[in-house]
Amino acid sequence: MFKVNEHYLKLPGSYLFSTIGKKVNAYSAAHPEAKIIRLGIGDVTQPLAPSIIDALHGAVDEMGKAETFHGYAPDLGYEFLRNVIADNDYKARGCNISADEIFVSDGAKCDSSNIQEIFSLDNKIAVCDPVYPVYVDSNVMAGRTGEYDAKRETWSDVIYMPCTADNGFAPLLPSQTPDIIYLCFPNNPTGATINKTQLQEWVDYANRVGAVIIYDAAYEAYISEEDVPHSIYECEGARTCAIELRSFSKNAGFTGVRLGFTVIPKELKAGDVSLHALWARRHGTKYNGAPYIVQRAGEAVYSEAGKAQLKKQVAYYMNNAHYIYEGLKSAGYTVSGGVNAPYIWLKAPNGMTSWEFFDYLLEHVNVVGTPGSGFGPSGETYFRLTAFGSYENTVEAVERIKKMSI
Ligand code: MLT
């Protein structure tokens, strides 16, 4: 008789955003007249920029002619895309990353969950608390996290690094030594950032204790402050301890198009084993590459016109972030984030738990957000709102919340 991967059975509930989706659908079915505003999952709402649409059209036409047709993509992704990434995201910022250290993929969610595969099950992971749930869940599925404590909502073999108002939502170096450290800045869900000196401390620490940092920089396009690093490779020594994940979802609206990449420097080694070589082996075996037309669309993100159009799109969402931040603050809420990130992190009012506040908002003003406890125990009394809605919906949601009696 076949057996299932028993580690899956340890997972509590369904994926956070699936649970929210089900709750909202049930509410909507019971109240078809309700005009629900969704500021829960960080899904973009603005259409693709014109230069990206032009690139897609052009690539589709190429696929229709024998002489310009493309079949399987190269293992690491097309060179035309990897070159513009290396030039714009790295060399232009003084980071020494070459095109052959970039692995193009269909997004950072997949890469952030798959990357753990190249590490031994004996490795101990450290995560921020709260944290993007994919990092932990993917390690649970692999069998790396020990047993679940339902009361504390923690795993016995995971090192949690609380990110609270007291530490400015920035993790402190853990007291127990981890092997793999997940960091995400600008942070999902809190919207917090750390400056270059703070990130350098993490890099120095990882090199000192022999840990690897998996650095999720999916939200780097939203950085507005000078001293916030856009890449971990801005720090000295990162080439020997860090993997960086990037996404086209948030900076270019590719949530439905799918494109991302992972950077693994050639110097990053466990003993004499190169992580670059292991990931290349995994990529070649298990992945057939992002579609040609999508990689051409990715290339357009770096064209002069593309950059100008996307700067406007990011500004549009950050205007929403500002509106939410200021609106809720003026209504007496305790808010943070929203300056270098499209997420606003607020304290649930009147001692409510985060799921109580979720239900309250949905039922009383038909606004959907994300309960902080879905990201970890330290998120229990917090709530996340995304700035990725339309401006009109954002304004209406804030006005509804301001008028709400709690
Ligand atoms: C989020 O809402 O946290 C993100 O949209 C999830 C994701 O990017 O996968």
Side-chain angles (χ1 to χ4, degrees), residues 15 17 40-43 109 132-134 188-189 219 249-250 255 343 370 375 384 386 388:
Y15 181 57
F17 295 106
I41 190 164
D43 194 4
K109 181 180 185 178
Y132 180 45
V134 172
N188 178 15
Y219 297 93
S249 289
K250 319 293 172 169
T255 52
Y343 294 127
T370 307
F375 299 101
R384 192 193 78 177
T386 162
F388 285 127

Side-chain angles (χ1 to χ4, degrees), residues 46 219-224 250-253 307-321 339-342 387-388:
Q46 291 297 293
Y219 297 93
E220 68 82 27
Y222 291 84
I223 294 172
S224 66
K250 319 293 172 169
N251 63 331
K307 282 186 202 168
Q309 290 158 7
L310 293 173
K311 202 169 161 197
K312 280 199 193 139
Q313 210 169 76
V314 166
Y316 175 94
Y317 292 131
M318 286 312 277
N319 184 44
N320 290 349
V339 175
N340 294 294
F388 285 127

Side-chain angles (χ1 to χ4, degrees), residues 54 76 144 239 254 270 309 341:
D54 287 347
L76 268 63
R144 199 177 278 110
R239 286 185 58 84
F254 278 38
Q309 290 158 7

